[in-house]
Structure formats: C-alpha cells, structure tokens
Amino acid sequence: MTGGVVHIGVLIHLWFSLVNVEGWRYHFLNNTMKSWNETRSWCQQQYTDIVMVHDENVTLFLQKILTKKSSSPYYWMGLQKINGNWTWVANGQTVNYENWATNEPNNNMSNENCVELYISKDDKSGKWNDDGCINKKYPVCQQAQCPNSTCTAGEDCIEQVNNFTCVCKPGFSGPKCKKVISCDQLSTPTHGKMKCSGPFGNHSLNSTCTFSCAGGYKLSGTAELKCSSSGAWSAPPPSCAGAISISKL
Ligand SMILES: *[C@@H]1O[C@H](CO)[C@@H](O)[C@H](O)[C@H]1NC(C)=O
Ligand SMILES: *[C@@H]1O[C@H](CO)[C@@H](O)[C@H](O)[C@H]1NC(C)=O
Ligand SMILES: *[C@@H]1O[C@H](CO)[C@@H](O)[C@H](O)[C@H]1NC(C)=O
Ligand SMILES: *[C@@H]1O[C@H](CO)[C@@H](O)[C@H](O)[C@H]1NC(C)=O
Ligand SMILES: *[C@@H]1O[C@H](CO)[C@@H](O)[C@H](O)[C@H]1NC(C)=O
Ligand SMILES: *[C@@H]1O[C@H](CO)[C@@H](O)[C@H](O)[C@H]1NC(C)=O
Ligand SMILES: *[C@@H]1O[C@H](CO)[C@@H](O)[C@H](O)[C@H]1NC(C)=O
Ligand SMILES: *[C@@H]1O[C@H](CO)[C@@H](O)[C@H](O)[C@H]1NC(C)=O
C-alpha cells in the first residue's frame, strides 16, 4: 500500500514538473502537503528555492499551471515576514509587487508570518493570504535555468517567466554585445613612463594605465587610471613636473 502511494506520488510529481523549457521552471506537489519550512527545504534540495511571485506575469503563469483547489489548503510561496517586512526568502528582497486578497494580510492568528497563494476557480485566485507557517499546504518551487552557453561573455543572463534573456553588461554593445567600449589612447608623459594593460586591450573597458616619472621629476596627478564602462578614464592623465626646479624657486 505504501509502495502504491509512493508510486503515485512519483508519477504526479513528474506530471507537474515542466520539462525542457529554458528559463525559470516551476515545480509543485499536488498530493503532499508540507509546512512552510518543510516546503522551503524540499524546494532547495530538489530545485533552487521556494517560488517568488515577483510580478503579475508569474501570477498569471502559476494560475495557468497549478491545479485549482476548491478550498483551503492552497499553496505555499516564498514570502515571509522578517523583522516586520514581507521578504522574498530566495533573494532577501522586500516585496515591491503585492497581490493580497481583500482584507489581507490580517495577521488573524497573530503568528501569520508566511504567505499562501490562492489558486482557485473564483476571483481570489492568484491572491495572497498570510497564514501560520506551521500549517501544511502544497509546495511550489522555482528552478533557475539561465543556460551557460547562450549568453556571450559581454552579456548577463536574466531569468524570466519560463525563459531567460541576455542583456549587455556595462561597457558592451552591438550585436551579441560583442563590441567593447574603449577610452582615448593616452600618451607617455614627458620625462615619464606609462604601462597599460587590460582584459580587452590596453585602452578598453577595465584596462589600467600606471604612470611613473624619471629621476628628479615628480608625478603630478593620479598614478593609475582605469577605463570605465562609460568610455572615460577615471582621472585626467598625470604629468611629470621638474621637482628640482620647483625646489629652487
Ligand atoms: C509581462 O509580460 C509582458 C509580455 O511579455 C511584458 O510586456 C511585460 O513587461 C511583463 N511584465 C513584467 C512586470 O515583467
Ligand atoms: C523594514 O522596513 C523598514 C521600513 O520600511 C526599514 O526601515 C527597515 O530597515 C526594514 N528592515 C529590514 C530588516 O529590512
Ligand atoms: C480568524 O481566525 C478564526 C479562528 O481560526 C476564524 O474563525 C476566523 O474566520 C478568522 N478570520 C479571518 C478574517 O480569517
Ligand atoms: C523554521 O526554520 C527556522 C530556521 O531554520 C527556525 O528558526 C524556525 O523555528 C522554524 N519554524 C518552524 C515553525 O518550525
Ligand atoms: C553551467 O556550468 C557549470 C560548470 O561549468 C555546470 O556545473 C552547470 O551544470 C552548468 N549549468 C547549465 C544549466 O548548463
Ligand atoms: C526564450 O528566449 C529565447 C531567447 O531570448 C527566445 O529565442 C525564445 O523564443 C524564448 N522562448 C519562449 C518559449 O518564449
Ligand atoms: C599594450 O601595452 C603594452 C605595453 O604597455 C605593449 O607591450 C602591448 O603590445 C600593448 N598591447 C596592445 C594590444 O596594444
Ligand atoms: C570590470 O570591472 C568591474 C569592477 O572592477 C567588474 O565588476 C566588472 O565585472 C568588470 N567587467 C568585466 C567585463 O570584466
């Protein structure tokens, strides 16, 4: 009998994992309820973390994929009251999108520090309710899916609902973000030396140039300049001043 239950559990589990879609994937259990802590541990073991419903697109997507329940319990999501602030536990950010049901959060039982996601046939579907963390509800997890190979070295991968997108890192532009920004070529100061190097060439993003002066001359200005992502050097180029002639004055 136990075997049968486990077997059905595994089957249902597989049915409700979205397979082979790049980007955030969402996973949920429809047959096993867990406390909020148990939900989070399970999500972290199996996937990435308990779900963040951070905008209306996630709300709409979850309403589409999760099984509608006709009454409580509904689903646990990854929002918790921490030092009085509603916080996404997966990234530690305070909420900036909220979708509470009417008259919620009400802290009705005065220990309602976790958030339930209603998924139902009525108009409260997709709305949030604060509830006690020890109550058992159905888990919803998220899995990060930014693939390694799709974005180029000049791109950052941003997770989206069920997908990802590549955006240019600061200092990169053009198709596939392959064009790297350069700063003006600098010239060696009179009576001095300049040494430049950088990951993308001597005068491009994150390159540094260091300056020194010949004996008897003193560096006037900044000894090390860095090429910033806006294409400007971090300071004006220095010069070498005749220290001896200055001391004679
Ligand atoms: C939701 O998705 C639509 C269509 O893809 C997009 O235009 C919109 O910016 C998204 N909203 C948020 C908050 O990401
Ligand atoms: C909670 O929010 C208050 C006011 O918005 C803020 O001053 C405080 O720093 C926040 N606490 C934490 C732990 O983020
Ligand atoms: C508050 O909790 C009590 C006791 O469980 C329950 O009877 C009542 O319906 C709850 N009120 C709301 C607004 O949820
Ligand atoms: C949940 O886990 C946290 C940290 O692991 C712990 O401090 C807290 O007491 C737990 N809550 C419950 C209701 O078990
Ligand atoms: C990305 O690469 C790391 C190490 O190179 C690997 O462990 C990980 O599984 C890869 N992730 C994906 C989504 O391909
Ligand atoms: C996912 O994102 C990639 C790259 O931005 C895009 O080519 C693809 O069409 C998207 N897939 C879906 C299902 O939206
Ligand atoms: C960068 O500068 C060094 C000397 O500082 C020089 O030897 C090297 O050839 C330069 N590399 C490029 C790509 O300009
Ligand atoms: C450039 O330098 C900054 C700060 O040192 C670093 O955060 C950034 O990742 C670097 N950019 C690249 C493309 O290596």
Side-chain angles (χ1 to χ4, degrees), residues 22-80:
E22 287 173 318
W24 285 122
R25 282 193 222 169
Y26 299 98
H27 303 263
F28 68 108
L29 285 179
N30 200 24
N31 61 332
T32 308
M33 291 187 286
K34 295 179 185 293
S35 70
W36 190 92
N37 268 6
E38 287 164 355
T39 296
R40 185 167 195 211
S41 303
W42 183 75
C43 286
Q44 288 180 321
Q45 277 157 23
Q46 303 288 322
Y47 308 107
T48 305
D49 213 327
I50 184 169
V51 71
M52 281 173 69
V53 188
H54 52 73
D55 64 33
E56 69 271 16
N57 288 341
V58 181
T59 301
L60 291 172
F61 188 77
L62 292 179
Q63 278 182 273
K64 232 187 294 174
I65 65 162
L66 302 187
T67 305
K68 293 176 175 58
K69 304 284 181 188
S70 51
S71 63
S72 184
Y74 295 93
Y75 295 91
W76 274 136
M77 56 187 232
L79 190 61
Q80 202 173 35

Side-chain angles (χ1 to χ4, degrees), residues 209-212 219-226 234-239:
C209 291
T210 54
F211 295 84
S212 58
L219 192 79
S220 166
T222 312
E224 183 175 293
L225 307 191
K226 188 172 176 188
S234 54
S239 57

Side-chain angles (χ1 to χ4, degrees), residues 113-237:
N113 296 327
C114 289
V115 179
E116 172 181 43
L117 176 65
Y118 292 136
I119 298 291
S120 55
K121 291 201 169 104
D122 54 31
D123 60 5
K124 74 177 181 194
S125 190
K127 301 284 182 183
W128 305 354
N129 170 44
D130 58 336
D131 205 350
C133 305
I134 57 165
N135 293 333
K136 292 196 180 244
K137 301 181 192 298
Y138 298 101
V140 189
C141 311
Q142 63 184 20
Q143 185 175 19
Q145 284 298 300
C146 261
N148 287 338
S149 52
T150 319
C151 297
T152 65
E155 294 174 328
D156 283 323
C157 187
I158 312 279
E159 300 279 357
Q160 292 185 319
V161 177
N162 220 24
N163 208 350
F164 62 91
T165 188
C166 301
V167 299
C168 290
K169 289 180 185 169
F172 291 86
S173 60
K176 295 258 163 208
C177 309
K178 286 201 162 144
K179 190 174 180 306
V180 64
I181 203 157
S182 357
C183 291
D184 290 340
Q185 196 126 352
L186 301 174
S187 41
T188 307
T190 316
H191 309 300
K193 279 186 181 164
M194 174 177 78
K195 249 191 176 165
C196 297
S197 68
F200 311 101
N202 286 349
H203 302 95
S204 293
L205 177 68
N206 283 1
S207 301
T208 53
C209 291
T210 54
F211 295 84
S212 58
C213 293
Y217 291 87
K218 203 168 169 285
L219 192 79
S220 166
T222 312
E224 183 175 293
L225 307 191
K226 188 172 176 188
C227 179
S228 75
S229 60
S230 65
W233 289 103
S234 54

